[in-house]
Each structure stands twice: as structure tokens, then as C-alpha cells.
Amino acid sequence: MILDILVQGLQMAAVLLLAPLLTGLVRKLKARLQRRQGASVLQPYRDLVRLLRKEVVLAENASWLFRAAPYLIFAATWVAAALVPTFATGLYFTWSADLIAITALVGSARFFLSLAGMDAGTSFGGIGASREAMIASLAEPAMLLIVFSLALIAGSTQLSTVATVMASPDVGLRVSLGMALVALIMVAIAENARVPIDNPATHLELTMVHEAMVLEYSGRHLAMIEFAAALKLLLYVSLIACVFVPWGLAQPGSGALAHILGFTAYLAKLLVGGALLAVFETATAKMRVFRVPAFLGAALMLGLLGTLLLFVSRSL
Amino acid sequence: MTGSIGLLLGCIAVLLATAILAIGLGRSGRATQVIYGVTAAISAVALVAALTQLLDALHDNSTLTLPLGLPWIGANFRLDMLSAFFLVVVNLGGGVASLFGLGYGTHETTPGRVLPFFPAFLAGMNLVVLADDAFAFLFAWEFMSLSSWALVMAHHREPGNARAGYIYLVMASFGTLALLLAFGLLAGPDGGYAFEMIRAVEHKSLVVALVLGLMLLGAGSKAGLVPLHVWLPLAHPAAPSHVSALMSGVMTKVAVYGFIRVIFDLVGEPNWWSSIIVMFIGGATAVFGILSALMERDIKRLLAYSTIENIGVIFVSLGLALAFEANGMRLAAALALTAALFHVLNHAFFKSLLFFGAGAVLTATGERDMERLGGLIHRMPVTSVVFLVGCFAISALPPLNGFASEWLVFQAILQSPDLPQFGLKLMVPAVGGMLALAAALAAACFIKVYGTVFLGRPRSAAAIEAREVDHFSLAAMSILASLCLLAGMFPGLVVDALSPVANSLVGSGLPRQAEIAWLSLVPIAESRSSYNGLLIFAFVALSAWLAVFFIHSFASRAVRRGPAWGCGLPSLSADMQYSGDSFAQPIRRVFGQLAFRAHEEIDMPAPGDMRAARLTVTMRDIVWDSIYAPIVRGVRFVAKRLNGLQFLTIRRYLSIVFAALVTLLLVLALWA
């Protein structure tokens, strides 16, 4: 049992340590694809440390909610990220939240982030929060329908069980799985405020969503929020990896070697996932805000279609 | 055990006596304290009695017959598991509303119009749940409707309230008419109006179908199912806030009780297709309700629309339970029914809390228009915390209670691919998508509420000068907020308490949860799904504490206050903030065209023209326009035509009577 808790703790530490690295990797790759030198992959760590050293400038009207929200957002995202199997399945606390609960936990973080955006009483926070709400109102149902598809194939909403079933040879190629994968990628892009939904690098006020919400944040609070954003990106890459490329995951009770192997495989998956994201972001242009509903509507329809297919026949 | 039912009926008698006492006390200064004190105490007693019955291991039902009502059967009352659960909801809501009323009621301008009807309303709701024959049920139902109507009309001089009361009265009469017909069909020509007799009879499938339709009209109109919901967002907000909380949080649940009692208990085996109707109406209600809520500016009307959404969620779950029961999947039916009942309880908690919060805001500022509020988090520290808990809970976010019940509904949906009928296979995923959409929109809606009312900067002088409300109100809200938290952290215990209710209705309960390690919620099997609100709460709290600890040990602790970024403009006025309407604008653009025929008109003056630019948004209530407006027009048309008959000479009346007589005789002759 102590060993189990240790592995769980290792996972919590691993997601925490790897999250900025993934963000740095994506940035570096994007820069190289744009024929720029780019900052080092370690830059996000340096940014975090620098932010932690700086003083906080609070807006005059900011309330306690504005100061508490960064910690809550960070905590909820961290817990959600730590509950997705990364290098091993069947961790000690995996059963405390299934995929629906993990999705909803990310929603809890968003709830606080949107409220914090509205706290200072400026238009930027409001515009970010309201657009985020619109995006979430379409992305969350799409995500839930994807969860339904996966749960119907695996017979469970528990991520460890889903991963184990997906790794077994009898799943095979399915139409519904393909739809779920495409829809999940679309949702992941929207949830993480990446191109073409939002641009994480922009600071042009009227085009921002996520950045507009956090405009008033500074210092350690901003560090927490940036960290949470990095964790969220890691969460979605891990989620896609654990469901659609579940190979190499260490089974519960297997030895140290399997865990080391699983960890190496996980690093490789992160590398591939980050590279694909960088290529995709470089190849697409950001879309207008009111084109986003069409994009997410497509994800929603794909999710619904996948679920309907599975309701009609479990083997599709 | 006739003891507890006797006690409960005694409580009802005391409530009725209190109502009469309130008339006697009239305008005396202490009337408010006395009446709400008595109702709080009586509700507490009834709550304990109902809880004892619900948690009693023996699960025995008790009945009592009084020599009132229909002469050949008397007035029958029965306390079983289902009524015990709903009595808990009614009396918990009633007790907390009384506590809130102790403080809130002192601001009442016309206490004489509220105090007599408040205990009567509580008594009516208790009676509906206890009634065990059709006559007693309908009598209590009408009593409940009329006393709540009187409360809606308490401030009858305020604009719009008289119309709200009128529409409520019409819809309530219509609902009772439907219920009357439903019970008539169930009782049959022999007049077996006692529920015992109705249960014993095997009903024809045509009767079952008709009864389902009539119950959807009768109970559905009281609960607020679309398209019978039109009265609800008018009437609920018109009443004083603690009564709004009772109407939204509790009375709609009494309607749900009526539906469950008749469809699950009295009618017997359901048809599988009936579940499709219930689910579809539920899903449409959920989405339409929350979209309407999002577009609303009046905080109490917004909450009333959100009630419609939650009723939709409950009916979807009930529909699922019907589908499973019709196919003999008892465990899945128990899961869906438990989810519905859990949501009933949760909604009673957080909707009462939110209406109390709206009442507190109304007391502090005199405003219901959210666009004239803002920044109350600085002025009302306690209210803002408990209201935040309510918003978080109703948005179905972990680790609070709203998420636990929605999670159970989703688990029930995932049981449904085993259903054999194709119609259901296609319907359930679509309804699941609608529920997910409603849940996501609910989160957006309550971000809007909290962000506009409590955050940002005050938008009116009243909001600047707001003051925290009295201790009774705060206590009532804090109790409900703690209950939201507790039910979210220990959902397994609630599910265990609901298990006998499900068992008595669908013949199976969920497996016992209390013995599962770490108090997890495991509806079917751990390999399928499990959720642990307690651990999630602990993890988030622990991680947040870790982060705070780390940052405060190692990072800079310097804080400076500065003006918010305004693109270089020197001073930002409060009107330049994002308003609630602007918050909802993106969602209005996505869904408004379809749901409200929303239309935006921009009047932008040419350069040099000094006119102010205008943005006009028109939205139409398509349910009212397409269903109610034609009916109103039809009634007006007929009334106008018949009006001609009112002022005729005696000769004409005689000739009309003669013609009618001849026509009747002719019809009779031809028929025979």
C-alpha cells in the first residue's frame, strides 16, 4: 500500500514537473517551424520562477476571490491532471474520480477563472469570461459525448479500465473511435486555448479569450495560472495518449522495470503529442470568435454520431 | 406505526391553526416573529418525524383514515417511503424558509398579506404528500395552489404581479383539471378513489397512456415542463423571496411527487414508449429553461427559469427509470430513479439558497435588475460566500452536490445501450447530449449571475450602499450551503437513504454505499464507475494548501494596489464594465436565433452625426407566441361573438331557447 501511494505521489510530482517542459517544447518547436531560434525549452520554468519573485499588483477593486482563485484553479487542474493515467494504470486513487469527474473538475477550474476575470470590473476580463463561457458551453457537451463513446466501448468511465480495454487487441479499429479521437482533439484545442480557437501568444486585446481573462493577474498569482494552463495542456495530451495510444502503460503490481518503461513511453508520447500540436498550430490560422461555434459544433456532432453508432451496435 | 403519521397530521393542524392565528394577530408588531417561529418549529418536528420514517430500518408504512372527504371512503392518509422522502424535502425547505422569514419578513411592507398564507401553504404541501385518496390529494393540491397564489399576489400593486397571478391561476386550474381527469380514469366507473383500490386494479393500456398524458399536463404544469412553464417565471419571482424559494425549491418537487406517485406507484407497469415522451420533454425543458435563464436580467426570474432546467433534468431521469422498468432492468431503473430523487433534494437545497440570496440582495439594495448591481462581494461578505457555494453547486461542478446527482444521471444513461427498443437507443444519447449542454450552459449562467451581481464594480448608488443582511437570513443560507457541501462530499449516504424509496417503487435499490472504502459512490460496480466527492474535496484542498504554503514560504509576498488596466484611459466608469447582457451575448448569438428568434439591430450614426449609437436586441418568447397567444386570441374571438347574446330582447331569448330545444330533440330522435 505504501508503494502504491508512492507511485501515486510520483505521478503527482511527474505531471507537475513535466507540464512546463511540454509547454516549452511546443513553443520551441513552433519557433523552429517558423525559422526562429526560439527560447530554450526550459524557459517556462524560468518564467515561473521570475513571476514568483515579482510583487503582485492587484486591481483596486479586486476582492478575496481574485486572490484565492489562482490557487483553487491550480489545485483543481493539478488534481485532474494527476488522476489521468500517465505511465501506469490502476494507481491508488484512480477510482476517486472517473472521466466525467475529471472533465467536471477542469470545469470547476474554469468556473473560478471566469469569475476572477469578472472581478476587477474591466471589459477585458468580461469579454474573456463571456467568450470562454460560450466555448465551454459547446466544448463540455462534446467532451461528455466523447466520454459516452469511450465508456460504451470500454464498459466503464474509469480511465484505468478504459486504457486497459483499449490496449487489448479485441477493440480493433472502429468508426466510433475515429470520430471520438477527432472530436477529442478538437475539444482539447478549444479547452487549451490553442490556435485556431485562441492564440496563447497574442496580446492583442480584442482577439484574446484566455489571456483577456487573466489580464489583471501578475506575480505569483499569474505564475499559478500559467502553471495551471501548462498542467491542463499536459492533462489533455496525457488523456489522448492514455485512451488512444495506451501501449507501454505499466499494469498495477508490475515491477520497477515496467514502470520505468512506462515512463519512457510516456515521455515519448508527450514529445510526439507536443510536436503534432506545434505542427498543427503552425499550419493553421486563428479563426474569428464567431466561427468557433461551427468548429465546436462539428466536434459535438462527431461525438453524438459516435455515441449513436455505439448505441445501435456495440461493434461499430 | 400510526404514531408518526398522527404526529405529521397534528403538525399540519397546528400549521392551519397558525394561519388562522395570523389573521387574528393582524398588524401587531410581533406577528412576524411569532408566525415564522411557530412554522420553523413545526417544520423541524415534521422533518424529524419524516427522517425517522425514511431511515427506519423496518420501512413499514402507516395509514390513517379520517371521517372527512368522500363519504364512502373518508380522507385517507398514508406515510410510506416515497412520501417520507418528499416530506423531508418539504419540511426542510419549509423550516429553512421560516428561519429566513424571521429576518426577511421584518422588511415586509404588507405582512398581513403574507403571514396567514405562509403556514397554509406549508400545510397544503404536506397534505399533498400524505394524501392517500384522489379526493384528499386533489383537495390538498388545490389548497396548495390557492395559498401559493395568494402569496404571489401579496404585492399585487407592483407592475406585472397581477398578470402573473392571473396566469398562474389559469394554469393551476388547468393542471388540476388534468389531474381530476387522470384520477377519474384511474378510479373507473365504480368510483374507487382510494389509492389502495387504484393500485389493486389492472389498468388497460389506453388508460395508462391517457393517464400519462394527463399527468404530464397536470403535474407538469405545476412543475414547469416546457411548454406549460409560462406561469412559472412570472409567478415565482412575484412572491416574497422566501416564498419564491419554497415555490421553486419545494412546490415544484411536490409536483414531481405527484407524477412519481401516479406513474410509478398507482398505474403499475409502464409502456416503454411513454419513457421516450417523458425524456424528450425533460431534455427540451432543460435546454430551453437554461437558455431562457441566460437571457434574463431580473435575478429572481433567472432563478425561476433555472428551476425549469432542473425540473427537466429530473424528468429526464424519471423517463430513464421508466424505460428501464418497462424492460425489467431493475437495478438500472433504481439508479435512474435514485438520481432523480437525489437531484430533487439537491435542487431544493441550492435553489432555496439562491432565492434566499436574491432576497438578501433585494433587502440590501432594493434591486432585482442585475444590471444595476455589482461589487456586492465587498459589501456583503457572508452572503457572497454562501451564494458562491449555491452557484457552484447548481453548476454541477465537483465536489459539491449538484455534480453528484448529475453524475448519477449520466451513469444511468450509460446503462441504456442494453435497452432493446430502437427508439430508445436513438433517443437516449440525444437526451444525454441535451443534458450535457444544459449543464454547461448552467455553469455559464451562474458565472453571469455571480459575476454581475457580486463581482466587478457597483453599477448603482443602491449597490454602493448595500449592507449585509440580518443573522436569521445568514443562518438560513449557511445551513443550506453546508448541506450542499455535505451532500456533495457524502453522496453515498444520501443514496443509501434513498435506497428504500427506490426499492418500494421499482423493486430494487442501489447496493449499499456506506460500507464501501473511503465512502465512495459506486452505483453498479467499481470497475464501471466510481466517484468520491470527499477525496476530491480533500485533494483539491490539500493541493491548494500546498501551493499556498510553498508560495508563502519561498515566493515574494509583496502586494501593491493599482488601477485596473484601461488601455490608457484615465478613469473607468462602472458602466464601462461588462454587463450581464454583454456576458450572454456570445451565447445569444449561437443559440438565440433558434430559441428566441433573437434579432440585433445596430443604429450607427454616420461620422459627424452627434446622435448616440444604439443597439436594440429583440427576443421573442416562441412558446407564448406559438401556443398561448393563439389560444388567447381564440378565447377573445369567441367571447366577442358570444357577447352579442348578452343584451337581447326577451322575445329573442325565447326564440333561441325554442330553437335549442327543437335541435336537441331532433338530435335525440336521430340518435335513437
Side-chain angles (χ1 to χ4, degrees):
Chain A
M1 181 179 150
I2 293 171
L3 205 67
D4 287 337
I5 292 182
L6 200 72
V7 176
Q8 178 75 56
L10 199 68
Q11 153 116 343
M12 285 203 92
V15 291
L16 203 59
L17 290 177
L18 286 176
L21 187 66
L22 179 66
T23 308
L25 179 78
V26 175
R27 283 192 197 153
K28 178 80 179 175
L29 286 172
K30 268 179 83 174
R32 295 299 300 144
L33 284 167
Q34 292 162 355
R35 306 192 105 193
R36 286 190 288 121
Q37 190 62 45
S40 148
V41 288
L42 299 179
Q43 190 59 38
Y45 296 101
R46 294 184 194 137
D47 287 346
L48 286 176
V49 172
R50 180 177 50 100
L51 283 173
L52 285 177
R53 286 209 197 107
K54 288 198 167 191
E55 72 169 348
V56 165
V57 183
L58 281 178
E60 269 148 4
N61 190 52
S63 65
W64 58 265
L65 189 101
F66 189 80
R67 302 177 71 167
Y71 302 104
L72 291 172
I73 294 161
F74 169 76
T77 319
W78 187 19
V79 171
L83 287 170
V84 177
T86 54
F87 60 92
T89 58
L91 292 180
Y92 192 64
F93 283 121
T94 45
W95 44 263
S96 64
D98 64 352
L99 194 43
I100 299 177
I102 292 174
T103 315
L105 210 50
V106 175
S108 298
R110 175 181 17 248
F111 187 85
F112 278 110
L113 187 59
S114 307
L115 285 185
M118 297 178 82
D119 190 36
T122 64
S123 282
F124 291 127
I127 205 172
S130 101
R131 287 174 176 180
E132 177 84 2
M134 176 201 56
I135 292 171
S137 70
L138 290 164
E140 277 186 2
M143 185 67 196
L144 217 66
L145 287 167
I146 297 163
V147 175
F148 282 179
S149 305
L150 297 177
L152 291 176
I153 293 171
S156 165
T157 49
Q158 218 64 303
L159 261 180
S160 277
T161 321
V162 173
T164 315
V165 171
M166 289 295 174
S168 68
D170 45 300
V171 173
L173 284 176
R174 290 161 182 248
V175 186
S176 52
L177 264 185
M179 288 175 173
L181 175 62
V182 175
L184 182 56
I185 291 174
M186 291 165 96
V187 169
I189 286 170
E191 284 273 354
N192 284 295
R194 310 298 300 194
V195 177
I197 303 292
D198 191 7
N199 189 350
T202 184
H203 275 274
L204 192 68
E205 287 95 345
L206 288 178
T207 62
M208 305 186 290
V209 180
H210 179 83
E211 295 296 323
M213 261 191 298
V214 305
L215 195 69
E216 285 299 325
Y217 272 117
S218 55
R220 53 179 188 271
H221 295 155
L222 185 60
M224 285 288 101
I225 284 179
E226 297 273 322
F227 212 151
L231 274 168
K232 197 170 169 186
L233 181 64
L234 183 89
L235 184 157
Y236 274 92
V237 176
S238 314
L239 183 64
I240 294 171
C242 117
V243 173
F244 292 99
V245 263
W247 297 287
L249 282 171
Q251 298 299 317
S254 57
L257 187 68
H259 280 93
I260 293 171
L261 217 70
F263 201 78
T264 324
Y266 178 58
L267 288 181
K269 288 174 202 170
L270 282 188
L271 189 69
V272 174
L276 287 176
L277 178 63
V279 171
F280 179 77
E281 283 204 302
T282 314
T284 35
K286 188 183 170 308
M287 58 173 73
R288 287 195 316 128
V289 171
F290 286 105
R291 296 285 297 280
V292 171
F295 179 87
L296 284 170
L300 190 69
M301 283 304 126
L302 278 174
L304 184 61
L305 214 57
T307 315
L308 271 175
L309 283 177
L310 286 165
F311 264 87
V312 173
S313 160
R314 280 291 180 87
S315 59
L316 277 171
Chain B
M1 191 168 82
T2 44
S4 52
I5 190 164
L7 180 64
L8 284 164
L9 286 172
C11 288
I12 294 171
V14 176
L15 284 174
L16 290 173
T18 317
I20 295 166
L21 176 74
I23 304 174
L25 281 176
R27 289 171 180 277
S28 106
R30 305 208 57 80
T32 305
Q33 273 78 13
V34 172
I35 300 301
Y36 289 123
V38 171
T39 52
I42 295 297
S43 300
V45 172
L47 175 66
V48 171
L51 262 180
T52 334
Q53 172 76 12
L54 188 64
L55 302 177
D56 180 19
L58 295 173
H59 308 319
D60 53 348
N61 305 326
S62 52
T63 54
L64 192 78
T65 308
L66 294 178
L68 298 165
L70 292 180
W72 64 95
I73 48 172
N76 296 276
F77 299 99
R78 181 160 176 266
L79 179 63
D80 59 4
M81 287 302 143
L82 181 65
S83 44
F85 168 69
F86 277 92
L87 281 175
V88 168
V89 174
V90 168
N91 287 305
L92 191 83
V96 190
S98 308
L99 186 60
F100 187 79
L102 272 174
Y104 185 77
T106 52
H107 305 287
E108 183 62 57
T109 46
T110 51
R113 288 178 162 273
V114 177
L115 290 180
F117 300 111
F118 184 79
F121 182 37
L122 288 181
M125 291 195 290
N126 273 304
L127 265 183
V128 173
V129 180
L130 280 173
D132 196 35
D133 65 76
F135 182 81
F137 184 93
L138 285 172
F139 179 81
W141 184 275
E142 272 301 86
F143 189 75
M144 170 181 87
S145 298
L146 285 177
S147 49
S148 60
W149 171 78
L151 289 164
V152 167
M153 294 297 281
H155 302 147
H156 63 115
R157 287 187 201 283
E158 280 175 26
N161 282 7
R163 177 169 176 261
Y166 178 66
I167 293 177
Y168 178 32
L169 206 57
V170 171
M171 290 303 290
S173 319
F174 169 74
T176 311
L177 175 70
L179 289 181
L180 191 70
L181 291 174
F183 282 120
L185 279 172
L186 285 174
D190 304 331
Y193 285 106
F195 285 175
E196 210 54 56
M197 298 182 205
I198 296 176
R199 250 181 235 120
V201 179
E202 187 81 25
H203 297 285
K204 291 194 203 100
S205 64
L206 180 68
V207 171
V208 173
L210 283 174
V211 166
L212 178 85
L214 288 168
M215 282 314 289
L216 279 175
L217 291 178
S221 67
K222 184 64 84 193
L225 285 182
V226 171
L228 303 166
H229 68 285
V230 284
W231 65 275
L232 196 150
L234 300 174
H236 285 193
S241 294
H242 56 308
V243 179
S244 310
L246 272 184
M247 290 179 78
S248 253
V250 181
M251 190 177 72
T252 53
K253 306 304 145 32
V254 175
V256 171
Y257 162 81
F259 185 81
I260 296 179
R261 174 63 79 198
V262 172
I263 299 299
F264 283 83
D265 185 14
L266 300 186
V267 167
E269 281 296 302
N271 298 316
W272 67 268
W273 52 260
S274 63
S275 60
I276 292 195
I277 301 171
V278 177
M279 260 190 280
F280 178 74
I281 293 179
T285 301
V287 174
F288 188 78
I290 197 65
L291 275 176
S292 309
L294 257 167
M295 301 303 136
E296 198 51 62
R297 292 174 68 157
D298 179 324
I299 181 167
K300 285 179 78 176
R301 286 190 64 173
L302 182 146
L303 292 175
Y305 272 122
S306 142
T307 296
I308 296 173
E309 181 236 334
N310 283 281
I311 289 295
V313 174
I314 292 166
F315 270 83
V316 165
S317 207
L318 289 177
L320 276 171
L322 279 178
F324 291 129
E325 199 195 356
N327 287 298
M329 296 162 67
R330 304 235 164 257
L331 188 59
L335 173 59
L337 190 64
T338 308
L341 295 175
F342 196 177
H343 203 73
V344 162
L345 187 70
N346 286 340
H347 183 245
F349 288 165
F350 45 62
K351 188 49 61 67
S352 302
L353 168 58
L354 291 170
F355 262 116
F356 291 166
V361 169
L362 191 60
T363 310
T365 63
E367 278 293 343
R368 269 165 51 178
D369 184 354
M370 296 196 291
E371 309 295 14
R372 296 180 51 75
L373 295 167
L376 292 182
I377 195 168
H378 302 287
R379 309 288 309 176
M380 306 173 76
V382 184
T383 307
S384 67
V385 173
V386 287
F387 200 87
L388 181 64
V389 173
C391 287
F392 202 73
I394 203 171
S395 305
L397 293 170
L400 293 189
N401 59 347
F403 176 72
S405 50
E406 292 235 2
W407 186 81
L408 283 176
V409 179
F410 289 134
Q411 294 302 331
I413 286 175
L414 288 173
Q415 301 293 317
S416 52
D418 297 335
L419 291 169
Q421 293 89 1
F422 241 80
L424 281 173
K425 277 178 188 285
L426 294 177
M427 194 65 204
V428 174
V431 168
M434 282 156 110
L435 272 195
L437 185 64
L441 288 172
C445 178
F446 283 91
I447 290 173
K448 166 181 153 165
V449 174
Y450 199 81
T452 320
V453 175
F454 286 93
L455 302 179
R457 281 169 298 150
R459 295 178 178 84
S460 66
I464 294 174
E465 283 150 19
R467 252 159 217 268
E468 186 58 284
V469 287
D470 58 278
H471 293 294
F472 287 116
S473 308
L474 293 180
M477 290 190 281
S478 308
I479 290 174
L480 288 171
S482 336
L483 284 173
C484 285
L485 193 63
L486 285 177
M489 293 204 305
F490 304 103
L493 302 183
V494 181
V495 168
D496 277 349
L498 293 175
S499 174
V501 185
N503 213 350
S504 69
L505 292 174
V506 295
S508 168
L510 289 184
R512 196 164 157 69
Q513 307 284 322
E515 273 116 41
I516 295 166
W518 298 88
L519 292 171
S520 277
L521 190 57
V522 183
I524 305 292
E526 196 177 300
S527 62
R528 289 192 78 119
S529 56
S530 60
Y531 164 68
N532 191 317
L534 179 65
L535 272 184
I536 294 294
F537 180 78
F539 286 159
V540 173
L542 196 69
S543 316
W545 179 80
L546 259 179
V548 171
F549 176 76
F550 177 83
I551 291 217
H552 280 245
S553 314
F554 299 105
S556 155
R557 300 181 65 167
V559 174
R560 182 159 57 89
R561 288 269 174 182
W565 170 239
C567 289
L569 280 176
S571 62
L572 294 173
S573 83
D575 294 333
M576 291 160 79
Q577 299 176 77
Y578 238 50
S579 64
D581 274 348
S582 34
F583 182 87
Q585 187 259 356
I587 292 175
R588 190 177 70 222
R589 273 190 71 157
V590 178
F591 299 101
Q593 180 66 30
L594 193 67
F596 310 104
R597 302 204 191 118
H599 179 66
E600 282 183 16
E601 215 165 283
I602 300 170
D603 172 29
M604 183 63 77
D609 193 347
M610 297 304 280
R611 258 181 325 128
R614 284 192 77 79
L615 167 69
T616 322
V617 179
T618 45
M619 280 191 283
R620 297 182 49 194
D621 186 343
I622 51 173
V623 173
W624 183 271
D625 286 356
S626 54
I627 300 177
Y628 291 87
I631 294 177
V632 170
R633 274 201 300 275
V635 169
R636 287 228 174 103
F637 178 77
V638 173
K640 213 171 181 180
R641 285 297 148 99
L642 290 179
N643 207 16
L645 292 177
Q646 214 174 351
F647 305 103
L648 300 181
T649 56
I650 190 85
R651 290 193 310 274
R652 288 202 165 185
Y653 278 125
L654 284 176
S655 43
I656 287 172
V657 168
F658 181 70
L661 204 65
V662 170
T663 324
L664 261 178
L665 287 173
L666 260 176
V667 168
L668 269 180
L670 289 176
W671 199 356

